[in-house]
Amino acid sequence: ANGSKVFNLIATDKTIVATPFQSTTAHYGQCFSICSLNLKCLSFDHSYTSDIGECSFYDLYQTNNLKEKPGVKFYSQTLLTATDCVDWFNLGYRKNGIYEVNLLGKYMRRVYCHMQAAEGGWMAFQRRFDGSVQFIGRNWEEFKNGFGNPEGEYYLGNELLHLLTTSEDYDYLVEARSYGQASSARRKLIHKVHIESEEEDYKIQYRLEDISEDYGGATSYGTLMRGCRFSTFDHDRDTAPDQNCGQLYGGWWHAWCHDVAMNGHYSHTETPVSPASGIIWRDWRGHGETLKNSLLMIRRSSFKQ
């Protein structure tokens, strides 16, 4: 569904603490039209002391941080039905960043939307790039409910992943970047991924033929975790005998412990904290090199640009 734009009167004699990207002198109705037709414009203020007055336009929504500005009324746009990053994309937004979404129409979350990768509209459920949020040592409940901060590093939560991917078909995209002078990026796309319920240990399911070769087929990223249950240090469900992969390499859909481990230790160099303990994508960079960035994303399979 496409979102609906609405401007609400937020405050009188106050405005947002921000620098307008544009100002003009016009009637209120013209100010409203200008802001409505400009995708960048999310709020505006207008002088109410005369029919024709100064309008200032902002690329920010309503915040609690308002300042005194006598003689103006401040209006902010709201989006009533953005259920995910696809809705924002369909509204014309093309900038990567943090967006507010109402998942399944009832779970309000702030998420990172990648609007430029693989035709856009992707919602990140895991984002890592600076080690500011610790992923190692997180227990089953934390991975179930999510943790971190969308403005930085975060994990959305396995329960929401389950609810979303069993409500309809979703595609899965990983985008990762390596360290070093020869820094490079790699993507892997899997179609129609489903995350089963907690009773099934959030098992990840998809068909082998749904592992796309759009970004190269010579990788076991997709084949290794297919059919695996999610495993953490306190909820060991991996298939490796005599090892607890979640304890060693973080919560993940582990088959063998360190073939793929995107929630492992973060290191600020390409060398892992300990052997094979980093953000590992083995058949791309090997056991001995950890990745710099990791972005795991989902998008409705029905998406059409």
Side-chain angles (χ1 to χ4, degrees):
N2 288 337
S4 301
K5 295 180 181 179
V6 175
F7 284 97
N8 292 323
L9 174 62
I10 303 302
T12 301
D13 297 320
K14 291 184 178 181
T15 192
I16 194 170
V17 179
T19 301
F21 67 85
Q22 180 184 341
S23 295
T24 191
T25 300
H27 185 273
Y28 161 75
Q30 293 174 302
C31 298
F32 175 84
S33 296
I34 291 169
C35 197
S36 296
L37 294 172
N38 189 335
L39 288 175
K40 186 177 180 180
C41 188
L42 303 178
S43 61
F44 69 95
D45 60 41
H46 178 261
S47 171
Y48 65 82
T49 58
S50 59
D51 287 341
I52 305 294
E54 182 181 357
C55 306
S56 296
F57 305 101
Y58 305 91
D59 58 358
L60 296 171
Y61 286 107
Q62 168 198 356
T63 70
N64 295 324
N65 193 16
L66 300 178
K67 63 182 180 181
E68 300 295 326
K69 189 176 179 181
V72 304
K73 291 184 177 181
F74 173 64
Y75 298 83
S76 180
Q77 174 186 310
T78 58
L79 191 69
L80 300 180
T81 56
T83 59
D84 59 11
C85 298
V86 166
D87 279 351
W88 282 107
F89 186 92
N90 288 337
L91 285 166
Y93 291 84
R94 299 295 186 271
K95 184 178 180 181
N96 297 339
I98 309 305
Y99 292 79
E100 187 170 87
V101 295
N102 189 13
L103 300 173
L104 299 172
K106 55 184 176 180
Y107 302 102
M108 295 299 300
R109 295 291 188 275
R110 288 170 59 78
V111 298
Y112 182 83
C113 293
H114 201 330
M115 300 305 196
Q116 297 167 5
E119 299 181 330
W122 293 95
M123 180 176 72
F125 69 87
Q126 184 251 44
R127 187 182 183 211
R128 305 188 70 187
F129 59 92
D130 65 1
S132 57
V133 172
Q134 180 63 265
F135 277 62
I136 285 288
R138 298 282 182 175
N139 63 26
W140 180 263
E141 286 296 312
E142 289 174 297
F143 274 105
K144 172 184 175 179
N145 298 315
F147 55 86
N149 182 353
E151 281 76 8
E153 298 190 328
Y154 74 99
Y155 191 84
L156 182 64
N158 288 335
E159 184 62 21
L160 275 176
L161 286 178
H162 158 64
L163 294 173
L164 288 166
T165 62
T166 54
S167 68
E168 61 177 290
D169 288 337
Y170 273 77
D171 295 342
Y172 171 113
L173 180 67
V174 55
E175 181 177 278
R177 184 170 293 276
S178 64
Y179 277 105
Q181 292 182 343
S183 175
S184 61
R186 175 68 64 90
R187 290 175 179 166
K188 193 65 185 178
L189 173 64
I190 308 172
H191 297 290
K192 298 182 179 179
V193 170
H194 300 107
I195 308 297
E196 301 300 336
S197 68
E198 184 175 17
E199 288 70 26
E200 294 294 319
D201 302 310
Y202 299 120
K203 181 190 294 185
I204 187 166
Q205 301 276 37
Y206 47 88
R207 302 180 305 173
L208 284 174
E209 55 265 39
D210 285 327
I211 302 173
S212 172
E213 296 192 7
D214 286 354
Y215 305 107
T219 173
S220 59
Y221 186 103
T223 57
L224 283 172
M225 66 180 185
R226 175 175 171 266
C228 287
R229 299 173 184 269
F230 201 85
S231 190
T232 58
F233 76 87
D234 61 337
H235 194 92
D236 186 7
R237 294 297 185 273
D238 59 66
T239 59
D242 304 320
Q243 283 188 299
N244 184 332
C245 299
Q247 183 174 25
L248 296 169
Y249 309 108
W252 188 252
W253 295 278
H254 292 288
W256 298 94
C257 280
H258 43 57
D259 284 307
V260 177
M262 306 305 281
N263 293 328
H265 282 284
Y266 190 89
S267 174
H268 292 277
T269 69
E270 65 182 32
T271 304
V273 175
S274 58
S277 67
I279 303 174
I280 299 298
W281 188 338
R282 181 184 60 80
D283 66 356
W284 175 33
R285 306 303 296 185
H287 286 144
E289 182 177 333
T290 186
L291 302 179
K292 182 179 182 181
N293 294 350
S294 168
L295 198 58
L296 310 180
M297 300 168 279
I298 57 172
R299 183 182 68 192
R300 283 179 271 154
S301 301
S302 60
F303 170 79
K304 288 183 174 60
Q305 191 174 22

